[in-house]
CSV table of all heavy atoms in Angstrom, one decimal:
chain,number,residue,atom,x,y,z
A,1,VAL,N,7.3,7.3,-3.0
A,1,VAL,CA,7.7,6.6,-1.9
A,1,VAL,C,7.1,5.2,-1.9
A,1,VAL,O,5.9,5.0,-2.0
A,1,VAL,CB,7.2,7.3,-0.5
A,1,VAL,CG1,7.6,6.5,0.7
A,1,VAL,CG2,7.8,8.7,-0.5
A,2,LEU,N,8.0,4.2,-1.7
A,2,LEU,CA,7.5,2.8,-1.7
A,2,LEU,C,7.5,2.3,-0.2
A,2,LEU,O,8.5,2.3,0.4
A,2,LEU,CB,8.4,1.9,-2.5
A,2,LEU,CG,8.5,2.3,-4.0
A,2,LEU,CD1,9.4,1.3,-4.7
A,2,LEU,CD2,7.1,2.2,-4.6
A,3,ILE,N,6.3,1.9,0.3
A,3,ILE,CA,6.2,1.3,1.6
A,3,ILE,C,6.1,-0.2,1.5
A,3,ILE,O,5.1,-0.7,0.9
A,3,ILE,CB,5.0,1.9,2.3
A,3,ILE,CG1,5.0,3.4,2.4
A,3,ILE,CG2,4.9,1.3,3.7
A,3,ILE,CD1,3.8,4.1,2.9
A,4,ASP,N,7.1,-0.9,1.9
A,4,ASP,CA,7.2,-2.3,1.6
A,4,ASP,C,6.7,-3.1,2.9
A,4,ASP,O,7.2,-3.0,4.0
A,4,ASP,CB,8.7,-2.7,1.4
A,4,ASP,CG,8.8,-4.1,0.9
A,4,ASP,OD1,7.8,-4.9,0.9
A,4,ASP,OD2,10.0,-4.5,0.6
A,5,ILE,N,5.6,-3.8,2.6
A,5,ILE,CA,5.0,-4.6,3.7
A,5,ILE,C,5.2,-6.1,3.4
A,5,ILE,O,4.5,-6.9,4.0
A,5,ILE,CB,3.5,-4.3,3.9
A,5,ILE,CG1,2.7,-4.6,2.7
A,5,ILE,CG2,3.4,-2.8,4.4
A,5,ILE,CD1,1.2,-4.6,3.0
A,6,THR,N,6.2,-6.4,2.7
A,6,THR,CA,6.5,-7.9,2.4
A,6,THR,C,6.8,-8.5,3.8
A,6,THR,O,7.5,-8.0,4.6
A,6,THR,CB,7.8,-8.0,1.6
A,6,THR,OG1,7.6,-7.3,0.3
A,6,THR,CG2,8.2,-9.5,1.3
A,7,GLY,N,6.2,-9.6,4.0
A,7,GLY,CA,6.4,-10.3,5.3
A,7,GLY,C,5.3,-10.0,6.4
A,7,GLY,O,5.2,-10.7,7.4
A,8,VAL,N,4.5,-9.0,6.1
A,8,VAL,CA,3.4,-8.7,7.0
A,8,VAL,C,2.3,-9.7,6.7
A,8,VAL,O,1.8,-9.7,5.6
A,8,VAL,CB,2.9,-7.2,6.8
A,8,VAL,CG1,1.6,-7.0,7.6
A,8,VAL,CG2,4.0,-6.2,7.1
A,9,SER,N,1.9,-10.4,7.7
A,9,SER,CA,0.9,-11.5,7.5
A,9,SER,C,-0.5,-11.1,7.7
A,9,SER,O,-1.4,-11.8,7.2
A,9,SER,CB,1.3,-12.7,8.4
A,9,SER,OG,1.2,-12.3,9.7
A,10,THR,N,-0.7,-10.0,8.4
A,10,THR,CA,-2.1,-9.6,8.7
A,10,THR,C,-2.1,-8.0,8.9
A,10,THR,O,-1.1,-7.5,9.3
A,10,THR,CB,-2.7,-10.3,9.9
A,10,THR,OG1,-4.1,-10.0,10.0
A,10,THR,CG2,-2.0,-9.9,11.2
A,11,VAL,N,-3.3,-7.4,8.7
A,11,VAL,CA,-3.5,-6.0,8.9
A,11,VAL,C,-4.8,-5.8,9.6
A,11,VAL,O,-5.6,-6.7,9.6
A,11,VAL,CB,-3.4,-5.2,7.6
A,11,VAL,CG1,-2.1,-5.2,6.9
A,11,VAL,CG2,-4.5,-5.7,6.6
A,12,ASP,N,-4.9,-4.7,10.3
A,12,ASP,CA,-6.1,-4.3,10.9
A,12,ASP,C,-6.4,-2.9,10.6
A,12,ASP,O,-5.6,-2.2,9.9
A,12,ASP,CB,-6.1,-4.6,12.4
A,12,ASP,CG,-5.0,-3.9,13.2
A,12,ASP,OD1,-4.5,-2.9,12.6
A,12,ASP,OD2,-4.7,-4.2,14.3
A,13,THR,N,-7.5,-2.4,11.1
A,13,THR,CA,-7.9,-1.0,10.8
A,13,THR,C,-6.8,0.0,11.3
A,13,THR,O,-6.6,1.0,10.6
A,13,THR,CB,-9.2,-0.6,11.4
A,13,THR,OG1,-9.2,-0.9,12.8
A,13,THR,CG2,-10.3,-1.4,10.8
A,14,PHE,N,-6.2,-0.2,12.4
A,14,PHE,CA,-5.1,0.7,12.9
A,14,PHE,C,-4.0,0.8,11.9
A,14,PHE,O,-3.5,1.8,11.6
A,14,PHE,CB,-4.6,0.2,14.3
A,14,PHE,CG,-3.5,1.1,14.8
A,14,PHE,CD1,-3.8,2.4,15.3
A,14,PHE,CD2,-2.2,0.7,14.7
A,14,PHE,CE1,-2.8,3.2,15.8
A,14,PHE,CE2,-1.2,1.5,15.2
A,14,PHE,CZ,-1.5,2.8,15.7
A,15,VAL,N,-3.5,-0.4,11.5
A,15,VAL,CA,-2.3,-0.4,10.5
A,15,VAL,C,-2.6,0.3,9.2
A,15,VAL,O,-1.9,1.1,8.7
A,15,VAL,CB,-1.9,-1.9,10.3
A,15,VAL,CG1,-0.9,-2.0,9.1
A,15,VAL,CG2,-1.4,-2.5,11.5
A,16,VAL,N,-3.8,0.0,8.7
A,16,VAL,CA,-4.2,0.6,7.4
A,16,VAL,C,-4.4,2.1,7.6
A,16,VAL,O,-4.0,2.9,6.8
A,16,VAL,CB,-5.5,0.0,6.8
A,16,VAL,CG1,-6.0,0.7,5.6
A,16,VAL,CG2,-5.2,-1.5,6.5
A,17,ASP,N,-4.9,2.5,8.7
A,17,ASP,CA,-5.2,3.9,9.0
A,17,ASP,C,-3.8,4.6,9.0
A,17,ASP,O,-3.6,5.8,8.5
A,17,ASP,CB,-5.9,4.1,10.3
A,17,ASP,CG,-6.2,5.6,10.6
A,17,ASP,OD1,-6.8,6.2,9.7
A,17,ASP,OD2,-5.8,6.1,11.7
A,18,GLN,N,-2.8,4.0,9.6
A,18,GLN,CA,-1.5,4.6,9.7
A,18,GLN,C,-0.8,4.7,8.3
A,18,GLN,O,-0.2,5.7,8.0
A,18,GLN,CB,-0.6,3.8,10.7
A,18,GLN,CG,-1.0,3.9,12.1
A,18,GLN,CD,-1.2,5.3,12.6
A,18,GLN,OE1,-0.3,6.1,12.6
A,18,GLN,NE2,-2.4,5.6,13.2
A,19,LEU,N,-1.0,3.7,7.5
A,19,LEU,CA,-0.5,3.7,6.2
A,19,LEU,C,-1.1,4.8,5.3
A,19,LEU,O,-0.4,5.5,4.6
A,19,LEU,CB,-0.7,2.3,5.5
A,19,LEU,CG,0.1,1.2,6.1
A,19,LEU,CD1,-0.3,-0.2,5.5
A,19,LEU,CD2,1.6,1.4,5.8
A,20,ILE,N,-2.4,5.0,5.5
A,20,ILE,CA,-3.1,6.0,4.7
A,20,ILE,C,-2.6,7.4,5.2
A,20,ILE,O,-2.4,8.3,4.4
A,20,ILE,CB,-4.6,5.8,4.8
A,20,ILE,CG1,-5.0,4.6,4.1
A,20,ILE,CG2,-5.3,7.1,4.4
A,20,ILE,CD1,-6.5,4.2,4.3
A,21,LYS,N,-2.4,7.6,6.5
A,21,LYS,CA,-1.9,8.8,7.0
A,21,LYS,C,-0.5,9.1,6.5
A,21,LYS,O,-0.2,10.3,6.1
A,21,LYS,CB,-1.9,8.9,8.5
A,21,LYS,CG,-3.2,9.0,9.2
A,21,LYS,CD,-3.2,8.9,10.7
A,21,LYS,CE,-4.6,9.1,11.3
A,21,LYS,NZ,-4.5,9.0,12.7
A,22,ILE,N,0.4,8.1,6.4
A,22,ILE,CA,1.7,8.3,5.8
A,22,ILE,C,1.6,8.7,4.4
A,22,ILE,O,2.3,9.6,3.9
A,22,ILE,CB,2.5,7.0,6.0
A,22,ILE,CG1,2.8,6.7,7.4
A,22,ILE,CG2,3.8,7.0,5.1
A,22,ILE,CD1,3.4,5.3,7.7
A,23,ALA,N,0.7,8.0,3.6
A,23,ALA,CA,0.5,8.4,2.2
A,23,ALA,C,0.0,9.8,2.0
A,23,ALA,O,0.5,10.6,1.2
A,23,ALA,CB,-0.5,7.4,1.6
A,24,ARG,N,-0.9,10.2,2.9
A,24,ARG,CA,-1.4,11.6,2.8
A,24,ARG,C,-0.3,12.6,3.1
A,24,ARG,O,-0.2,13.7,2.5
A,24,ARG,CB,-2.6,11.8,3.8
A,24,ARG,CG,-3.9,11.1,3.3
A,24,ARG,CD,-5.0,11.4,4.2
A,24,ARG,NE,-6.2,10.7,3.7
A,24,ARG,CZ,-7.2,10.4,4.5
A,24,ARG,NH1,-7.2,10.7,5.8
A,24,ARG,NH2,-8.2,9.7,4.1
A,25,ALA,N,0.5,12.3,4.1
A,25,ALA,CA,1.6,13.2,4.5
A,25,ALA,C,2.6,13.3,3.3
A,25,ALA,O,3.1,14.4,2.9
A,25,ALA,CB,2.3,12.7,5.7
A,26,GLY,N,2.8,12.2,2.6
A,26,GLY,CA,3.7,12.2,1.5
A,26,GLY,C,3.1,13.0,0.3
A,26,GLY,O,3.8,13.8,-0.4
A,27,GLN,N,1.8,12.9,0.1
A,27,GLN,CA,1.1,13.7,-0.9
A,27,GLN,C,1.3,15.2,-0.6
A,27,GLN,O,1.5,16.0,-1.6
A,27,GLN,CB,-0.3,13.4,-1.0
A,27,GLN,CG,-0.6,12.0,-1.7
A,27,GLN,CD,-2.0,11.6,-1.6
A,27,GLN,OE1,-2.8,12.1,-0.8
A,27,GLN,NE2,-2.4,10.7,-2.5
A,28,LEU,N,1.2,15.6,0.6
A,28,LEU,CA,1.4,17.0,1.0
A,28,LEU,C,2.8,17.5,0.6
A,28,LEU,O,3.0,18.7,0.4
A,28,LEU,CB,1.1,17.2,2.5
A,28,LEU,CG,-0.3,17.1,2.9
A,28,LEU,CD1,-0.4,17.2,4.4
A,28,LEU,CD2,-1.2,18.2,2.2
A,29,LEU,N,3.8,16.6,0.6
A,29,LEU,CA,5.2,16.9,0.2
A,29,LEU,C,5.4,16.7,-1.2
A,29,LEU,O,6.6,16.8,-1.7
A,29,LEU,CB,6.1,16.1,1.1
A,29,LEU,CG,6.0,16.3,2.6
A,29,LEU,CD1,6.8,15.3,3.4
A,29,LEU,CD2,6.5,17.7,2.9
A,30,GLY,N,4.4,16.4,-2.0
A,30,GLY,CA,4.5,16.2,-3.4
A,30,GLY,C,5.0,14.9,-3.9
A,30,GLY,O,5.5,14.7,-5.0
A,31,THR,N,4.8,13.8,-3.1
A,31,THR,CA,5.2,12.5,-3.5
A,31,THR,C,3.9,11.6,-3.7
A,31,THR,O,2.9,11.9,-3.1
A,31,THR,CB,6.1,11.8,-2.5
A,31,THR,OG1,5.4,11.6,-1.3
A,31,THR,CG2,7.4,12.6,-2.3
A,32,GLU,N,4.1,10.5,-4.3
A,32,GLU,CA,3.1,9.5,-4.3
A,32,GLU,C,3.6,8.3,-3.6
A,32,GLU,O,4.7,7.8,-3.7
A,32,GLU,CB,2.8,9.0,-5.8
A,32,GLU,CG,1.8,7.9,-5.9
A,32,GLU,CD,1.6,7.4,-7.3
A,32,GLU,OE1,2.2,7.9,-8.2
A,32,GLU,OE2,0.7,6.5,-7.5
A,33,CYS,N,2.7,7.8,-2.6
A,33,CYS,CA,3.1,6.7,-1.8
A,33,CYS,C,2.4,5.4,-2.4
A,33,CYS,O,1.2,5.4,-2.7
A,33,CYS,CB,2.7,6.9,-0.4
A,33,CYS,SG,3.6,8.2,0.4
A,34,CYS,N,3.2,4.4,-2.5
A,34,CYS,CA,2.7,3.1,-3.0
A,34,CYS,C,3.0,2.0,-2.0
A,34,CYS,O,4.1,2.0,-1.4
A,34,CYS,CB,3.4,2.7,-4.4
A,34,CYS,SG,3.1,4.0,-5.7
A,35,LEU,N,2.1,1.1,-1.9
A,35,LEU,CA,2.3,-0.1,-1.0
A,35,LEU,C,2.8,-1.2,-1.8
A,35,LEU,O,2.2,-1.6,-2.8
A,35,LEU,CB,0.9,-0.4,-0.4
A,35,LEU,CG,0.9,-1.2,0.9
A,35,LEU,CD1,1.6,-0.5,2.0
A,35,LEU,CD2,-0.5,-1.4,1.3
A,36,VAL,N,3.9,-1.8,-1.3
A,36,VAL,CA,4.6,-2.9,-2.1
A,36,VAL,C,4.6,-4.1,-1.2
A,36,VAL,O,4.7,-4.0,0.0
A,36,VAL,CB,6.0,-2.4,-2.4
A,36,VAL,CG1,6.8,-3.5,-3.1
A,36,VAL,CG2,6.0,-1.2,-3.2
A,37,GLY,N,4.5,-5.2,-1.8
A,37,GLY,CA,4.6,-6.5,-1.1
A,37,GLY,C,3.3,-6.9,-0.5
A,37,GLY,O,3.3,-7.7,0.5
A,38,THR,N,2.2,-6.5,-1.1
A,38,THR,CA,0.9,-6.9,-0.6
A,38,THR,C,0.6,-8.4,-0.9
A,38,THR,O,0.5,-8.8,-2.0
A,38,THR,CB,-0.2,-6.0,-1.2
A,38,THR,OG1,0.1,-4.7,-1.1
A,38,THR,CG2,-1.6,-6.3,-0.5
A,39,SER,N,0.5,-9.2,0.2
A,39,SER,CA,0.3,-10.6,0.0
A,39,SER,C,-1.2,-10.8,-0.3
A,39,SER,O,-2.1,-10.0,0.0
A,39,SER,CB,0.7,-11.4,1.2
A,39,SER,OG,-0.2,-11.1,2.3
A,40,ALA,N,-1.5,-12.0,-0.8
A,40,ALA,CA,-2.9,-12.4,-1.0
A,40,ALA,C,-3.7,-12.4,0.3
A,40,ALA,O,-4.8,-12.0,0.3
A,40,ALA,CB,-3.0,-13.8,-1.7
A,41,ALA,N,-3.1,-12.8,1.4
A,41,ALA,CA,-3.8,-12.9,2.7
A,41,ALA,C,-4.1,-11.5,3.2
A,41,ALA,O,-5.2,-11.2,3.6
A,41,ALA,CB,-2.9,-13.6,3.7
A,42,VAL,N,-3.2,-10.5,3.0
A,42,VAL,CA,-3.4,-9.2,3.5
A,42,VAL,C,-4.5,-8.5,2.6
A,42,VAL,O,-5.4,-7.8,3.1
A,42,VAL,CB,-2.1,-8.3,3.4
A,42,VAL,CG1,-2.4,-6.8,3.5
A,42,VAL,CG2,-1.2,-8.8,4.5
A,43,ALA,N,-4.4,-8.8,1.3
A,43,ALA,CA,-5.4,-8.2,0.4
A,43,ALA,C,-6.8,-8.8,0.7
A,43,ALA,O,-7.8,-8.0,0.8
A,43,ALA,CB,-5.1,-8.6,-1.0
A,44,GLN,N,-6.9,-10.1,1.0
A,44,GLN,CA,-8.2,-10.6,1.4
A,44,GLN,C,-8.7,-10.1,2.7
A,44,GLN,O,-9.9,-9.7,2.8
A,44,GLN,CB,-8.0,-12.2,1.5
A,44,GLN,CG,-9.3,-12.9,1.8
A,44,GLN,CD,-9.2,-14.4,1.9
A,44,GLN,OE1,-8.1,-14.9,1.6
A,44,GLN,NE2,-10.3,-15.1,2.1
A,45,ILE,N,-7.9,-9.9,3.7
A,45,ILE,CA,-8.3,-9.3,5.0
A,45,ILE,C,-8.8,-7.9,4.7
A,45,ILE,O,-9.9,-7.5,5.2
A,45,ILE,CB,-7.2,-9.4,6.0
A,45,ILE,CG1,-6.9,-10.8,6.4
A,45,ILE,CG2,-7.5,-8.5,7.2
A,45,ILE,CD1,-5.6,-11.0,7.2
A,46,ALA,N,-8.0,-7.1,4.0
A,46,ALA,CA,-8.4,-5.7,3.7
A,46,ALA,C,-9.7,-5.6,3.0
A,46,ALA,O,-10.6,-4.7,3.3
A,46,ALA,CB,-7.3,-5.1,2.9
A,47,VAL,N,-10.0,-6.5,2.1
A,47,VAL,CA,-11.3,-6.5,1.4
A,47,VAL,C,-12.4,-6.9,2.3
A,47,VAL,O,-13.5,-6.3,2.3
A,47,VAL,CB,-11.2,-7.3,0.1
A,47,VAL,CG1,-12.6,-7.5,-0.5
A,47,VAL,CG2,-10.3,-6.7,-0.9
A,48,GLU,N,-12.2,-8.0,3.0
A,48,GLU,CA,-13.3,-8.5,3.9
A,48,GLU,C,-13.7,-7.5,5.0
A,48,GLU,O,-14.8,-7.3,5.3
A,48,GLU,CB,-12.8,-9.8,4.6
A,48,GLU,CG,-12.8,-11.0,3.7
A,48,GLU,CD,-12.2,-12.2,4.3
A,48,GLU,OE1,-11.8,-12.2,5.5
A,48,GLU,OE2,-12.2,-13.3,3.7
A,49,LEU,N,-12.7,-6.8,5.5
A,49,LEU,CA,-12.9,-5.8,6.6
A,49,LEU,C,-13.1,-4.4,6.0
A,49,LEU,O,-13.3,-3.5,6.8
A,49,LEU,CB,-11.8,-5.8,7.5
A,49,LEU,CG,-11.5,-7.1,8.3
A,49,LEU,CD1,-10.3,-7.0,9.2
A,49,LEU,CD2,-12.8,-7.5,9.1
A,50,ASP,N,-13.1,-4.2,4.7
A,50,ASP,CA,-13.3,-2.9,4.0
A,50,ASP,C,-12.4,-1.9,4.7
A,50,ASP,O,-12.8,-0.9,5.2
A,50,ASP,CB,-14.7,-2.5,4.1
A,50,ASP,CG,-15.0,-1.3,3.2
A,50,ASP,OD1,-14.3,-1.1,2.2
A,50,ASP,OD2,-16.0,-0.6,3.5
A,51,LEU,N,-11.1,-2.2,4.7
A,51,LEU,CA,-10.1,-1.4,5.4
A,51,LEU,C,-9.6,-0.2,4.6
A,51,LEU,O,-9.0,0.7,5.2
A,51,LEU,CB,-8.9,-2.2,5.8
A,51,LEU,CG,-9.1,-3.3,6.8
A,51,LEU,CD1,-7.8,-4.1,7.0
A,51,LEU,CD2,-9.7,-2.8,8.0
A,52,GLY,N,-10.0,0.0,3.4
A,52,GLY,CA,-9.6,1.2,2.7
A,52,GLY,C,-8.3,1.2,1.9
A,52,GLY,O,-7.8,2.2,1.6
A,53,LEU,N,-7.7,0.0,1.7
A,53,LEU,CA,-6.4,-0.1,1.0
A,53,LEU,C,-6.6,0.4,-0.4
A,53,LEU,O,-5.6,0.7,-1.1
A,53,LEU,CB,-5.9,-1.5,1.1
A,53,LEU,CG,-5.0,-1.8,2.3
A,53,LEU,CD1,-4.5,-3.2,2.2
A,53,LEU,CD2,-3.9,-0.9,2.5
A,54,ASP,N,-7.8,0.4,-0.9
A,54,ASP,CA,-8.0,0.9,-2.3
A,54,ASP,C,-7.6,2.4,-2.5
A,54,ASP,O,-7.5,2.9,-3.6
A,54,ASP,CB,-9.4,0.7,-2.7
A,54,ASP,CG,-10.5,1.4,-1.8
A,54,ASP,OD1,-10.2,1.4,-0.6
A,54,ASP,OD2,-11.5,1.8,-2.3
A,55,ARG,N,-7.4,3.1,-1.4
A,55,ARG,CA,-7.0,4.5,-1.4
A,55,ARG,C,-5.5,4.6,-1.7
A,55,ARG,O,-5.0,5.7,-2.1
A,55,ARG,CB,-7.3,5.2,-0.1
A,55,ARG,CG,-8.7,5.4,0.1
A,55,ARG,CD,-8.9,6.2,1.4
A,55,ARG,NE,-9.7,5.5,2.3
A,55,ARG,CZ,-9.9,5.7,3.6
A,55,ARG,NH1,-9.3,6.8,4.0
A,55,ARG,NH2,-10.6,5.0,4.4
A,56,LEU,N,-4.7,3.5,-1.6
A,56,LEU,CA,-3.3,3.4,-1.9
A,56,LEU,C,-3.1,2.6,-3.2
A,56,LEU,O,-3.7,1.6,-3.4
A,56,LEU,CB,-2.6,2.8,-0.8
A,56,LEU,CG,-2.6,3.5,0.6
A,56,LEU,CD1,-1.9,2.6,1.6
A,56,LEU,CD2,-1.9,4.8,0.5
A,57,ARG,N,-2.1,3.1,-3.9
A,57,ARG,CA,-1.7,2.3,-5.1
A,57,ARG,C,-0.9,1.1,-4.6
A,57,ARG,O,0.1,1.3,-3.8
A,57,ARG,CB,-0.8,3.1,-6.0
A,57,ARG,CG,-0.5,2.5,-7.3
A,57,ARG,CD,-0.1,3.4,-8.4
A,57,ARG,NE,0.1,2.7,-9.6
A,57,ARG,CZ,0.7,3.3,-10.7
A,57,ARG,NH1,1.1,4.5,-10.6
A,57,ARG,NH2,0.8,2.6,-11.8
A,58,THR,N,-1.2,-0.1,-4.9
A,58,THR,CA,-0.5,-1.3,-4.4
A,58,THR,C,0.1,-2.1,-5.5
A,58,THR,O,-0.3,-2.1,-6.6
A,58,THR,CB,-1.6,-2.1,-3.6
A,58,THR,OG1,-2.6,-2.6,-4.5
A,58,THR,CG2,-2.2,-1.4,-2.4
A,59,PHE,N,1.1,-2.8,-5.1
A,59,PHE,CA,1.9,-3.7,-6.0
A,59,PHE,C,2.2,-5.0,-5.3
A,59,PHE,O,2.4,-5.0,-4.0
A,59,PHE,CB,3.2,-3.1,-6.4
A,59,PHE,CG,3.0,-1.8,-7.3
A,59,PHE,CD1,3.0,-0.6,-6.7
A,59,PHE,CD2,2.8,-1.9,-8.6
A,59,PHE,CE1,2.8,0.6,-7.4
A,59,PHE,CE2,2.6,-0.8,-9.4
A,59,PHE,CZ,2.6,0.5,-8.8
A,60,ARG,N,2.2,-6.1,-6.0
A,60,ARG,CA,2.4,-7.4,-5.4
A,60,ARG,C,3.9,-7.5,-4.9
A,60,ARG,O,4.1,-8.1,-3.8
A,60,ARG,CB,2.2,-8.5,-6.5
A,60,ARG,CG,2.4,-9.9,-6.0
A,60,ARG,CD,2.2,-10.8,-7.2
A,60,ARG,NE,2.9,-10.3,-8.3
A,60,ARG,CZ,3.6,-11.0,-9.2
A,60,ARG,NH1,3.6,-12.3,-9.0
A,60,ARG,NH2,4.2,-10.6,-10.2
A,61,ASP,N,4.8,-6.9,-5.6
A,61,ASP,CA,6.2,-7.0,-5.2
A,61,ASP,C,7.0,-5.8,-5.6
A,61,ASP,O,6.5,-5.0,-6.4
A,61,ASP,CB,6.9,-8.3,-5.6
A,61,ASP,CG,6.8,-8.5,-7.1
A,61,ASP,OD1,7.0,-7.5,-7.9
A,61,ASP,OD2,6.6,-9.6,-7.6
A,62,LEU,N,8.2,-5.6,-5.1
A,62,LEU,CA,9.0,-4.5,-5.4
A,62,LEU,C,9.4,-4.4,-6.9
A,62,LEU,O,9.4,-3.3,-7.5
A,62,LEU,CB,10.3,-4.5,-4.6
A,62,LEU,CG,11.3,-3.4,-4.7
A,62,LEU,CD1,10.6,-2.1,-4.4
A,62,LEU,CD2,12.5,-3.6,-3.9
A,63,GLN,N,9.7,-5.5,-7.5
A,63,GLN,CA,10.1,-5.6,-8.9
A,63,GLN,C,8.9,-5.0,-9.8
A,63,GLN,O,9.2,-4.2,-10.6
A,63,GLN,CB,10.4,-7.0,-9.3
A,63,GLN,CG,10.9,-7.0,-10.8
A,63,GLN,CD,11.3,-8.4,-11.2
A,63,GLN,OE1,11.5,-9.3,-10.4
A,63,GLN,NE2,11.5,-8.6,-12.5
A,64,SER,N,7.7,-5.5,-9.5
A,64,SER,CA,6.6,-5.0,-10.3
A,64,SER,C,6.4,-3.5,-10.1
A,64,SER,O,6.1,-2.8,-11.1
A,64,SER,CB,5.3,-5.7,-9.8
A,64,SER,OG,5.4,-7.1,-9.9
A,65,ALA,N,6.5,-3.0,-8.9
A,65,ALA,CA,6.4,-1.6,-8.7
A,65,ALA,C,7.5,-0.8,-9.4
A,65,ALA,O,7.1,0.2,-10.1
A,65,ALA,CB,6.5,-1.3,-7.2
A,66,LEU,N,8.7,-1.2,-9.4
A,66,LEU,CA,9.8,-0.5,-10.1
A,66,LEU,C,9.6,-0.5,-11.6
A,66,LEU,O,9.8,0.5,-12.2
A,66,LEU,CB,11.1,-1.1,-9.6
A,66,LEU,CG,11.5,-0.8,-8.2
A,66,LEU,CD1,12.8,-1.6,-7.9
A,66,LEU,CD2,11.6,0.6,-7.9
A,67,GLU,N,9.2,-1.7,-12.1
A,67,GLU,CA,9.0,-1.7,-13.6
A,67,GLU,C,7.9,-0.8,-14.0
A,67,GLU,O,8.0,-0.1,-15.0
A,67,GLU,CB,8.6,-3.1,-14.0
A,67,GLU,CG,9.8,-4.1,-13.9
A,67,GLU,CD,9.4,-5.6,-14.1
A,67,GLU,OE1,8.3,-5.9,-14.4
A,67,GLU,OE2,10.3,-6.4,-14.1
A,68,ILE,N,6.7,-0.8,-13.3
A,68,ILE,CA,5.6,0.0,-13.7
A,68,ILE,C,5.9,1.5,-13.5
A,68,ILE,O,5.6,2.3,-14.3
A,68,ILE,CB,4.4,-0.4,-13.0
A,68,ILE,CG1,3.9,-1.8,-13.5
A,68,ILE,CG2,3.2,0.6,-13.2
A,68,ILE,CD1,2.9,-2.5,-12.7
A,69,LEU,N,6.5,1.8,-12.4
A,69,LEU,CA,6.7,3.2,-12.1
A,69,LEU,C,7.9,3.8,-12.9
A,69,LEU,O,7.9,5.0,-13.2
A,69,LEU,CB,7.0,3.4,-10.6
A,69,LEU,CG,5.9,3.1,-9.6
A,69,LEU,CD1,6.3,3.1,-8.2
A,69,LEU,CD2,4.7,4.0,-9.9
A,70,ALA,N,8.8,3.0,-13.4
A,70,ALA,CA,9.9,3.5,-14.2
A,70,ALA,C,9.3,3.9,-15.6
A,70,ALA,O,10.0,4.7,-16.3
A,70,ALA,CB,10.9,2.4,-14.4
A,71,ARG,N,8.2,3.4,-16.0
A,71,ARG,CA,7.6,3.7,-17.3
A,71,ARG,C,7.0,5.1,-17.3
A,71,ARG,O,6.6,5.6,-18.4
A,71,ARG,CB,6.6,2.7,-17.7
A,71,ARG,CG,7.2,1.4,-18.0
A,71,ARG,CD,6.1,0.4,-18.5
A,71,ARG,NE,6.5,-1.0,-18.2
A,71,ARG,CZ,5.7,-1.9,-17.9
A,71,ARG,NH1,4.4,-1.7,-17.8
A,71,ARG,NH2,6.1,-3.1,-17.5
A,72,ARG,N,6.8,5.7,-16.2
A,72,ARG,CA,6.1,7.0,-16.1
A,72,ARG,C,6.9,8.1,-16.5
A,72,ARG,O,7.9,8.5,-16.6
A,72,ARG,CB,5.7,7.2,-14.6
A,72,ARG,CG,4.6,6.2,-14.2
A,72,ARG,CD,4.3,6.4,-12.8
A,72,ARG,NE,3.3,7.5,-12.6
A,72,ARG,CZ,3.0,8.0,-11.5
A,72,ARG,NH1,3.5,7.6,-10.4
A,72,ARG,NH2,2.0,8.9,-11.4
């Protein structure tokens, strides 16, 4: 499952918590959830606030995600 956050300019603990919950629910259904469209600003905020985005597989854009995941 690809969760596209392209255009999201900021995140907080609530948003990241919800994304992680979605990913965990997907795992229970046998899928892998990946976060797509992570901007540099979002990544920086996530690291500075230690929001836990490292628990999700992330990709800079949809094309990168599709190319890498298609090789599996």
Side-chain angles (χ1 to χ4, degrees):
V1 175
L2 300 177
I3 302 171
D4 190 356
I5 62 166
T6 301
V8 174
S9 58
T10 188
V11 294
D12 59 17
T13 54
F14 177 78
V15 171
V16 173
D17 184 54
Q18 295 306 306
L19 292 170
I20 291 170
K21 286 179 180 178
I22 291 168
R24 286 184 183 156
Q27 287 174 338
L28 290 174
L29 297 172
T31 65
E32 177 184 3
C33 292
C34 301
L35 199 58
V36 176
T38 309
S39 68
V42 168
Q44 184 176 358
I45 291 167
V47 169
E48 286 176 358
L49 298 178
D50 193 25
L51 296 180
L53 275 183
D54 56 328
R55 293 187 238 165
L56 296 174
R57 189 163 183 191
T58 60
F59 295 93
R60 183 180 46 137
D61 55 40
L62 181 60
Q63 182 177 350
S64 299
L66 293 174
E67 288 173 359
I68 291 170
L69 296 173
R71 293 184 207 145
R72 293 175 83 190

